[in-house]
């Protein structure tokens, strides 16, 4: 794994969620890792995340793609849901799963191909 190369992260949901619930949890996880930065941009970041997170059906997948320029794209199996047009927020979004600061260190290391 490298932040310098494009990648796709597949997220499988075992239960369904309303988009607002997922968006709020997303901002909450990002806030745990970057409290100062989120405090300064919380309303802006919340609006962006709200716009790219769809309702999630039980046993469905959501895909996050980070392009070579550092922008995030969110897809369902059917379509592009949205783009995060802020490079810093794009990275924060993926750091939920791919950072040493994540709440699930074992999973993060597995996703990045590191020994755990």
């Amino acid at each position: 794994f490298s932040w310098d190369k494009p990648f796709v992260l597949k997220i499988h949901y075992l239960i369904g969620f309303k988009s607002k619930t997922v968006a709020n949890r997303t901002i909450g996880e990002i806030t745990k890792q970057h409290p100062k930065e989120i405090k300064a941009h919380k309303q802006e970041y919340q609006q962006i995340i709200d716009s790219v997170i769809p309702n999630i059906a039980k046993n469905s997948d959501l895909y996050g793609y980070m392009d070579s320029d550092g922008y995030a794209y969110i897809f369902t199996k059917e379509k592009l849901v949205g783009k995060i047009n802020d490079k810093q927020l794009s990275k924060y979004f993926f750091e939920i799963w791919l950072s040493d600061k994540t709440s699930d260190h074992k999973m993060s290391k597995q996703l990045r191909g590191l020994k755990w």
Side-chain angles (χ1 to χ4, degrees), residues 1 3 5-13 52-54 56 61-67 70-77 79-84 90-91 93-95 97-98 111:
F1 171 77
W3 287 106
K5 296 179 182 176
F7 61 86
V8 173
L9 178 67
K10 175 183 171 185
I11 306 161
H12 183 73
Y13 290 87
V52 300
I53 302 294
I56 307 292
D61 300 317
L62 198 63
Y63 301 87
Y65 169 68
M66 176 79 90
D67 71 12
Y71 293 105
Y73 297 81
I74 311 302
F75 294 86
T76 63
K77 284 187 178 181
K79 65 180 182 175
L80 172 66
V81 179
K83 177 183 178 186
I84 299 176
S90 293
K91 188 165 191 237
F93 175 79
F94 286 108
E95 284 180 339
W97 302 275
L98 300 172
L111 289 170

Side-chain angles (χ1 to χ4, degrees), residues 7-23:
F7 61 86
V8 173
L9 178 67
K10 175 183 171 185
I11 306 161
H12 183 73
Y13 290 87
L14 297 175
I15 59 176
F17 291 102
K18 295 286 185 190
S19 61
K20 189 68 173 170
T21 301
V22 178

Side-chain angles (χ1 to χ4, degrees), residues 1-3 7 9 94-95 97-102 104-116:
F1 171 77
S2 170
W3 287 106
F7 61 86
L9 178 67
F94 286 108
E95 284 180 339
W97 302 275
L98 300 172
S99 167
D100 287 334
K101 297 179 184 178
T102 187
D104 189 336
H105 298 283
K106 182 178 176 182
M107 177 189 65
S108 178
K109 287 187 177 194
Q110 287 176 315
L111 289 170
R112 292 181 288 155
L114 302 173
K115 291 185 178 184
W116 43 275

Side-chain angles (χ1 to χ4, degrees), residues 19-74:
S19 61
K20 189 68 173 170
T21 301
V22 178
N24 288 343
R25 287 185 182 184
T26 298
I27 290 295
E29 289 296 318
I30 293 170
T31 301
K32 287 178 189 176
Q33 292 185 19
H34 304 282
K36 291 179 186 177
E37 295 86 346
I38 296 302
K39 186 176 180 181
H41 301 281
K42 187 164 186 174
Q43 185 175 357
E44 172 192 354
Y45 284 176
Q46 184 72 55
Q47 288 176 342
I48 293 169
I49 295 297
D50 285 348
S51 73
V52 300
I53 302 294
N55 289 326
I56 307 292
K58 181 180 178 180
N59 289 317
S60 66
D61 300 317
L62 198 63
Y63 301 87
Y65 169 68
M66 176 79 90
D67 71 12
S68 59
D69 293 323
Y71 293 105
Y73 297 81
I74 311 302

